[in-house]
Amino acid sequence: SFVFFFFFNDTATTEIYTLSLHDAFRSKLLTDLEAKFGRRDDFHELLFTLLYEAFVKGSDSFYWPYLRTIPSLNDLDVPLVWSEETIKSRVGPSHLLAGQLEHKAQVLSFYKYISQIDLIQDFFPNGIFSEENYVWATAILDSRSIWWGGQRHIVPMLDFINCNERV
């Protein structure tokens, strides 16, 4: 078992290291979804929170010091945002190819299902809950969140691991 201590001067940055975003964001949307479906979904709670904080609150978000460092959809270079042809050419014939294609199809399928839920569409301003933003948020959570304590958490320190040394 490992314990890591991080010290930062920026209060918002420190808070992100100690809390998952959805701990601080218990909106009417999350409460209504839990009542409707009878359970919670940590991944989508964090995804909705990420979308809300990044695209609705923006620079007014408590988490803005971190959010402004997250790459945009155009800056991401991960299989989830690649075309099927690019996935095939970059991954090639390997055991990874089917998994990457399946993951992308699953994400798009989840978006199609979730985008039909009125509670979600009614909560976000027009254009915020889009396929593009959903894919972006999923890619961010896939690369910058981990499970601990039974919940999923965004961990900005993972950016130090996921960085490109040529930047």
Side-chain angles (χ1 to χ4, degrees):
S1 174
F2 295 95
V3 176
F4 294 96
F5 295 96
F6 301 104
F7 298 95
F8 298 94
N9 291 330
D10 184 341
T11 305
T13 304
T14 305
E15 288 297 317
I16 290 175
Y17 288 89
T18 59
L19 295 172
S20 63
L21 283 176
H22 66 81
D23 286 337
F25 176 81
R26 195 67 191 151
S27 72
K28 182 170 175 19
L29 171 65
L30 301 182
T31 303
D32 290 350
L33 287 171
E34 183 178 3
K36 179 175 180 153
F37 294 103
R39 65 183 180 84
R40 293 180 64 178
D41 175 349
D42 278 348
F43 180 82
H44 282 98
E45 286 186 15
L46 198 51
L47 184 138
F48 297 147
T49 302
L50 180 58
L51 290 174
Y52 182 79
E53 295 290 334
F55 296 110
V56 176
K57 291 182 87 175
S59 62
D60 291 333
S61 171
F62 175 80
Y63 300 104
W64 188 247
Y66 171 65
L67 295 172
R68 69 181 180 188
T69 69
I70 296 175
S72 70
L73 184 65
N74 293 332
D75 292 330
L76 287 172
D77 189 24
V78 295
L80 185 59
V81 301
W82 299 342
S83 69
E84 186 172 329
E85 296 77 33
T86 302
I87 293 172
K88 288 177 180 177
S89 71
R90 289 189 180 181
V91 177
S94 74
H95 65 282
L96 299 175
L97 180 59
Q100 293 299 323
L101 294 173
E102 183 179 316
H103 178 61
K104 184 175 179 109
Q106 184 179 42
V107 168
L108 295 175
S109 177
F110 280 150
Y111 170 75
K112 286 178 186 167
Y113 172 76
I114 290 169
S115 67
Q116 296 174 18
I117 300 172
D118 289 339
L119 290 170
I120 296 168
Q121 289 298 336
D122 294 344
F123 178 78
F124 287 101
N126 246 358
I128 298 297
F129 193 73
S130 64
E131 181 178 297
E132 182 176 281
N133 287 347
Y134 183 86
V135 168
W136 170 82
T138 299
I140 295 302
L141 294 181
D142 283 351
S143 63
R144 290 167 171 79
S145 69
I146 62 171
W147 286 93
W148 88 77
Q151 292 182 328
R152 194 170 192 130
H153 301 264
I154 287 184
V155 182
M157 292 300 291
L158 290 179
D159 290 331
F160 292 126
I161 297 167
N162 293 338
C163 69
N164 181 344
E165 65 186 50
R166 292 176 282 167
V167 172

